[in-house]
Amino acid sequence: MLWLYLHFPHLLLDHLQRSRKETSAMVVITESGQHVQQACPEARKQGIEPGLRLKTALSLATELATVQADPERERLILVQQARWLYRHAAPITLYPPDGLLVEASRLQRLYGSVDALWDRVERLLSDHQLTASLAVGQTPLAARLCARAQRGCRDHGDDTALMTARLKALPLDHAGFERRTLERLLRLGLSTLGDVFALPPTELARRLAPETLMYVQKIQGNRPDPQTAWQPLHHFEQQADFIHDIEYTEGLLFPLQRLLGALEDDLRWRQQDTDRLLLLLHHHQSPATRITIGATGPEHRAEAFLDLVRLRFEQQSLAAPVTALTLRVKRFLPRHEAITQDLLGDAPDLQEAWHTLISRLQMKLGASTLHRLVPQADHRPERAWTTQEPGHRQTGTPAVAAHHHSARPLWLMPHPRPLQETPEAWLAGPERISAGWWDGQRVHRDYYIAQLASGALAWVFRDVREGWFIHGWFG
Amino acid sequence: MSDLLKNLIHDARVWQGHQHHKTLHRNEPTGFEVVDSGPSPLGWPRGALSECLLDHHGIGELQLVLPLIRRLSQAGKTVFWVNPPYTPYAPALAREEIVLDQVVIIHTDTADDMLWTLDNCLRSPVTGLVMAWPKNLSSRGIRRLQLAAEAASNLCILFRAANNSRQSSPAALRLVLTPAPQHTLEVRTLKRRGNWPGAPVILAIPERIGINVKKENLGIPPHIVQGPWQEPATDPRQTRE
């Protein structure tokens, strides 16, 4: 069996770098805040190495951005990397906080050779702007140790003799032994992993510890080392973390663009669409702001979502500076197949144009400001219609014609207005409408059509208390 | 050329004569025979603004656009009503054979939002017609709408108060609507692009109240034999006292 291991020396820094435009030196400091744990290439250029004291590092680089180490956050970032890798390689095992293990022997047949798989992974890493060292090994541990020691080599990835030689040449301080075991091995005069392999197993177990023997056997492959395969979650979730807090909504658009691009990729892989995004804006102290972005129809294009988010951000300002941004999508819809009339597909897709327009309007003006009219079977004029949110675009379904024998005005007043003048002419009426005795909203009126002095035709009624009201206009 | 002139031309507020050839868009027929026929038929200009100026709602102004709405909605085009003064009454629209699924009502709070909405609606390929009832509209705003309508070759009809008729406007068609005797509508053309205004037209809109006024010629239709108007008690003034 062959295994490919990806070791990310400064994953957190790569992740942060993707959400910002400038390139200045960044380091991750240990939780105690004393030492440098990870340093980005820019910082390394200025002489900062992991393990350096923070004070020294600050004097080396003038504008050094520092990030507190956070194992939980690093694990989440690692999961994000596993998500895209899963599209190309499986099964994957997570090695938090900075490693991913891929079983390469099964993929050998898919990609042709281990070298081809290696090339593919390297290209994907550069697409995602990540730094990682790769190594192939015959056991998971062998691959991991070589990758961490940066002893991986692309050429002849499946040459077992070369791999064994490489593993045997590994210095003991890269072999991942416990501190005390390492000291004892060094005191025995051993310097490489090959020296340890040469010891008789019984002696190794007796002189050191049975656990050490187990570990060595796992590296060699003489003892089973089962791996638990990672399964991606069904929903989409990605986070962008910022090194400096973002105070204006415009600043969020740049990282969001990348997240939406990742979402578009994800949706393309699923061959699905979505119509609901959840944005979580994380703040320092206060609870996260939740923003729901809704489109009226299935959508997958990043630019369409970005357009909606931009409109939404115009409406609201940030409650507090934002430290991180999460994009979450839980609802997936089957992808709508564009039915194009012409072969080349030059005609605009009306269904899509409709959704774009209505989503834009709803996002800018609020969902309640748009509606469609629907007739209802009721004799009371104010209940003979209702409103409906404009959802899907209807095509070619002619409305059922209402069979009224009497004329109805095109304008209805939301509330009847008292009639203040004597009409000039009476044109039709009375038409008695008496209904609603069954639900307590009783209406008992005589309707007339009258011409007022202004020349307008009004729909007036007289109610049970002999009051006269205008209820509509014949526009 | 002086800077002043250059500025004026650059700033799109001045209409220039040589831009005239752009009006290649065909006019949409209104659906009224009196208007559509004749040597210079009047029609709703595509890719331009139209204005209807009127004092009171309820004089039959919607009747003028009903044939257009009916035709567009049946063709699967969306008709937007932006800030209508009252609620368009769904049963009456359905009775006029308008496809209600294609009718979208939008209410906006501010004048800026309304312009933004009109602009977006006009530029969309799903739109057939945009009707708006703006309260106040600057000539800059009208110009913006004119450009949007031109870009997408869409129809836009604004209903405005009659006192705006003295104000100049870049709209391609400006109509003054006034009620005429026998419940008809007088349509006076204030301005039309590429033609003379022509004489006012009286539109008979008999279907409006379900009575064929034209045939009856005048006044009270015969099937109303008795009404409340003959009794003094039915005068609203008196009933309120």
Side-chain angles (χ1 to χ4, degrees), chain A residues 58-369:
Chain A
L58 282 172
S59 58
L60 280 170
T62 43
E63 285 186 25
L64 191 67
T66 56
V67 196
Q68 199 85 33
D70 182 350
E72 180 53 26
R73 193 156 76 162
E74 282 175 86
R75 200 189 64 78
L76 286 176
I77 298 167
L78 189 68
V79 170
Q80 283 187 24
Q81 314 317 319
R83 287 188 74 93
W84 61 257
L85 189 64
Y86 191 74
R87 309 272 185 224
H88 306 275
I92 295 178
T93 309
L94 301 191
Y95 275 81
D98 52 8
L100 293 176
L101 180 72
V102 181
E103 199 203 305
S105 41
R106 288 193 219 176
L107 297 163
Q108 218 170 344
R109 277 172 63 190
L110 175 65
Y111 288 99
S113 68
V114 176
D115 291 353
L117 171 67
W118 183 296
D119 288 344
R120 167 67 72 94
V121 172
E122 270 201 331
R123 210 181 63 232
L124 289 167
L125 284 169
S126 77
D127 283 352
H128 287 86
Q129 303 166 34
L130 290 167
T131 320
S133 64
L134 308 182
V136 181
Q138 283 170 292
T139 61
L141 268 175
R144 177 174 153 91
L145 292 178
C146 286
R148 291 184 72 91
Q150 306 198 347
R151 296 290 173 99
C153 191
R154 178 192 166 278
D155 293 322
H156 309 294
D158 43 358
D159 187 341
T160 47
L162 208 65
M163 256 184 284
T164 316
R166 209 178 286 145
L167 189 65
K168 280 185 175 168
L170 205 65
L172 273 186
D173 50 344
H174 284 301
F177 286 112
E178 273 175 51
R179 194 181 183 80
R180 277 190 56 217
T181 318
L182 179 66
E183 266 175 30
R184 294 187 67 180
L185 288 171
L186 288 174
R187 243 179 260 157
L188 282 170
L190 309 174
S191 62
T192 62
L193 205 54
D195 299 343
V196 182
F197 290 166
L199 295 177
T202 44
E203 289 300 305
L204 195 64
R206 197 169 61 81
R207 291 188 181 229
L208 291 157
E211 289 80 24
T212 312
L213 176 68
M214 268 165 65
Y215 182 71
V216 171
Q217 282 178 335
K218 275 184 185 176
I219 297 176
Q220 283 179 298
N222 299 334
R223 186 178 276 270
D225 186 11
Q227 303 292 315
T228 43
W230 170 81
Q231 286 290 327
L233 289 169
H234 182 65
H235 66 258
F236 174 88
E237 180 164 344
Q238 273 213 9
Q239 184 165 335
D241 296 273
F242 312 124
I243 224 169
H244 301 297
D245 294 354
I246 290 183
E247 291 175 16
Y248 300 101
T249 48
E250 294 85 52
L252 291 172
L253 291 175
F254 177 74
L256 195 61
Q257 200 169 2
R258 190 181 54 76
L259 292 187
L260 289 171
L263 174 67
E264 186 180 331
D265 272 355
D266 189 80
L267 289 171
R268 197 177 59 233
W269 277 99
R270 295 168 191 261
Q271 279 299 300
Q272 279 180 321
D273 279 355
T274 184
D275 63 351
R276 205 153 293 270
L277 310 182
L278 178 67
L279 288 180
L280 286 173
L281 309 182
H282 303 274
H283 309 298
H284 267 299
Q285 303 287 333
S286 42
T289 314
R290 298 169 72 90
I291 299 178
T292 313
I293 306 287
T296 55
E299 184 58 80
H300 61 275
R301 290 167 305 157
E303 51 182 306
F305 282 128
L306 192 68
D307 203 33
L308 292 179
V309 173
R310 197 176 282 138
L311 282 172
R312 182 61 186 266
F313 278 172
E314 278 172 17
Q315 310 292 313
Q316 84 180 90
S317 54
L318 296 178
V322 178
T323 56
L325 169 73
T326 307
L327 173 66
R328 192 181 293 163
V329 175
K330 285 196 170 165
R331 199 164 109 152
F332 297 98
L333 305 165
R335 187 164 282 199
H336 149 75
E337 278 176 42
I339 304 154
T340 42
Q341 301 293 329
D342 54 338
L343 182 66
L344 299 173
D346 288 338
D349 182 1
L350 286 182
Q351 187 79 38
E352 199 175 285
W354 162 266
H355 286 312
T356 312
L357 175 64
I358 299 296
S359 306
R360 272 178 72 87
L361 293 172
Q362 284 185 337
M363 201 45 71
K364 169 96 176 179
L365 307 168
S368 58
T369 54

Side-chain angles (χ1 to χ4, degrees), chain B residues 170-227:
Chain B
L173 179 69
R174 302 189 82 197
L175 304 173
V176 179
L177 310 182
T178 41
Q182 295 172 36
H183 331 300
T184 52
L185 182 69
E186 184 185 318
V187 180
R188 190 157 58 85
T189 315
L190 203 65
K191 168 194 170 185
R192 61 196 281 203
R193 190 186 277 176
N195 216 326
W196 298 105
V201 184
I202 305 276
L203 283 187
I205 32 179
E207 295 299 319
R208 177 153 63 132
I209 48 172
I211 313 153
N212 203 333
V213 184
K214 210 175 180 183
K215 272 186 191 160
E216 303 307 330
N217 223 354
L218 222 179
I220 304 151
H223 69 264
I224 304 176
V225 181
Q226 197 184 346

Side-chain angles (χ1 to χ4, degrees), chain A residues 350-414:
Chain A
L350 286 182
Q351 187 79 38
E352 199 175 285
W354 162 266
H355 286 312
T356 312
L357 175 64
I358 299 296
S359 306
R360 272 178 72 87
L361 293 172
Q362 284 185 337
M363 201 45 71
K364 169 96 176 179
L365 307 168
S368 58
T369 54
L370 265 81
H371 57 261
R372 253 199 310 229
L373 301 168
V374 186
Q376 256 184 338
D378 200 308
H379 292 292
R380 289 163 287 184
E382 51 268 63
R383 283 169 182 259
W385 61 282
T386 184
T387 59
Q388 193 186 44
E389 257 193 39
H392 280 275
R393 181 170 183 264
Q394 315 277 329
T395 38
T397 45
V400 185
H403 296 291
H404 281 297
H405 295 293
S406 319
R408 288 286 177 268
L410 286 167
W411 288 130
L412 190 76
M413 304 191 70

Side-chain angles (χ1 to χ4, degrees), chain A residues 360 369 371-372 381 385 393-394 397 404 406-407 409-412 420 426-428 448 451 456-457 468 474-475, chain B residues 56 58 60-62 76 86-89 92 95 100-103 105 107 120 126 183 208-209 224 228-229 237 239:
Chain A
R360 272 178 72 87
T369 54
H371 57 261
R372 253 199 310 229
W385 61 282
R393 181 170 183 264
Q394 315 277 329
T397 45
H404 281 297
S406 319
L410 286 167
W411 288 130
L412 190 76
Q420 303 280 12
W426 298 87
L427 302 172
Y448 301 86
Q451 185 173 19
L457 295 190
W468 285 87
F474 287 84
Chain B
H56 294 277
E61 74 277 10
L62 287 180
Y86 310 110
T87 314
Y89 191 42
R95 185 189 151 102
L100 285 176
D101 288 330
Q102 299 294 351
V103 174
I105 319 284
H107 288 279
N120 274 276
V126 295
H183 331 300
R208 177 153 63 132
I209 48 172
I224 304 176
W229 56 88
R237 295 269 171 175
T239 50

